[in-house]
Structure formats: structure tokens, C-alpha cells
Amino acid sequence: MRVKYIKIDSPENVSYKINWQRPFSDFPLIQGKNYTVYAIEYTDERKINFFLLDEGGNIYPSNYPSEFFEISDPCMSKYWERTNDNQLYPIQNPIYPNIITFKEWKINKYFEEDMFEGINGANDIFQSYKKLIDNEYPDESLDSAIIMEENWILCPICNNAFENLSREGIISCANCKARLNNPCWID
């Protein structure tokens, strides 16, 4: 799932509670930029937060109020644990409080704190899922590899041909390591 950070009218009227209580004017986000969502939080106050990696340089995601974003790709990750079979956001009749994310985070209510403190291997677990989630769906901002025959594709950046057995949305060129949309992607 991807969301775009947008300018909203009257942001000071958005009531939100995020762990670090940063004012909206100091969010380390770029307006108009798409961000990958790694978790969706439904709070006790019936608010919705998106966890994403911002421009602050942290290796773990931070939560932001959903009001500051528009959905650019509603496909939820296949790696997330959820209570229904819905593959697209928004979810009808969500359960509050709840978090939709990968298993290790969902079952450990302290996982977010563990990432923040860098303990219990939480950041290693997150980084493993980050790689999977980042490459799960094609990204319209990337070039697409070119199908040559069967499982062989061509990188449009360096013109290297390589075998591709992946069915994920994004692959890396075997030569130049460029991230490319996978023309063999299967949803």
C-alpha cells in the first residue's frame, strides 16, 4: 500500500496523537511524495494512522495521521495479518483498536517500542519485511524491464539480459542493480 503526503486545509484542526507528538509543520515528509505503508493502526480514539519511513533517517517506521495522505495504491500487503480477506484499503467496518501489519508486530504489543529502542531483533525483523513489502507491487515511478523470451528480460538502463524467476512486482537488474518493474509480475 502506498500513500501520498498532501497539503490539507486547516491541518491544525486535525486531532491526532502520535508517539512523539510532533506538530504537523515539523513532519519530516515531502509533500507530493509517495510513501510505502508498513502498518495501519486503528486507535482507541477511532483514528487511523499509517506507519511509514519518513525523511528523518530512522530505520524503523513512524506513525502519521491518515488525514495527511491520499491513497495512491490501495493494495494491502500479502505479508500483513488482517481480520478479513479484503486486499484493498480502506477496510469496511474496521475493528478499533487494531493494527494491520506483519505477524511479529501484530502479536507483540511492544514491537514498536522494541524497534525504537533497537532491542529484541525488532529492527532486523522489520528490515526483512520492508524488503518484501517494498518489492511486492510494481511502482509507476520505476522503469519496467522488457520481456525477451520465457524467463529472460532486458534491463532498459544497462541493456543487460538476465533470467528472471521472480513474480514480485519489483526486481533488481543482475548487472546494474537498478530497481525495475517486473514484466512477469503476478498479482
Side-chain angles (χ1 to χ4, degrees):
M1 181 175 153
R2 292 190 180 104
V3 294
K4 185 190 309 184
Y5 182 54
I6 59 170
K7 180 176 171 57
I8 63 170
D9 295 331
S10 306
E12 64 279 353
N13 293 335
V14 175
S15 118
Y16 64 90
K17 179 170 178 20
I18 49 182
N19 292 341
W20 30 273
Q21 285 302 306
R22 180 176 281 181
F24 72 90
S25 58
D26 293 340
F27 286 176
L29 299 168
I30 298 172
Q31 283 196 1
K33 181 176 178 179
N34 282 305
Y35 292 91
T36 299
V37 176
Y38 299 102
I40 305 169
E41 176 185 41
Y42 295 88
T43 69
D44 286 325
E45 299 82 20
R46 301 187 75 77
K47 298 289 183 183
I48 301 171
N49 292 322
F50 297 138
F51 279 85
L52 48 93
L53 286 173
D54 57 28
E55 308 302 319
N58 292 325
I59 61 170
Y60 53 84
S62 298
N63 58 335
Y64 290 93
S66 61
E67 291 91 342
F68 289 91
F69 299 91
E70 68 182 28
I71 307 303
S72 51
D73 182 351
C75 297
M76 294 193 297
S77 176
K78 67 183 175 190
Y79 302 105
W80 290 353
E81 300 277 319
R82 46 188 176 269
T83 55
N84 60 35
D85 293 332
N86 190 359
Q87 300 293 316
L88 300 177
Y89 182 86
I91 295 172
Q92 303 300 318
N93 304 313
I95 298 169
Y96 293 88
N98 190 14
I99 190 162
I100 298 174
T101 190
F102 49 86
K103 178 182 169 185
E104 290 83 349
W105 190 345
K106 186 153 181 79
I107 63 174
N108 177 359
K109 67 180 181 178
Y110 300 109
F111 192 84
E112 182 183 349
E113 289 82 7
D114 289 353
M115 286 190 294
F116 180 75
E117 294 176 14
I119 60 174
N120 299 325
N123 286 321
D124 291 336
I125 293 168
F126 170 71
Q127 290 300 319
S128 295
Y129 279 104
K130 177 189 179 310
K131 183 177 179 184
L132 293 170
I133 292 169
D134 286 352
N135 294 326
E136 188 172 7
Y137 295 105
D139 181 343
E140 64 184 33
S141 69
L142 298 175
D143 289 329
S144 292
I146 302 162
I147 295 177
M148 294 176 59
E149 60 181 57
E150 213 168 301
N151 293 324
W152 286 86
I153 59 177
L154 181 71
C155 173
I157 310 293
C158 69
N159 291 321
N160 178 59
F162 60 99
E163 188 173 23
N164 173 41
L165 300 175
S166 172
R167 296 301 178 247
E168 294 298 314
I170 298 174
I171 56 174
S172 293
C173 172
N175 182 50
C176 71
K177 308 300 181 212
R179 293 180 75 230
L180 304 165
N181 286 321
N182 184 357
C184 305
W185 175 63
I186 297 175
D187 188 7

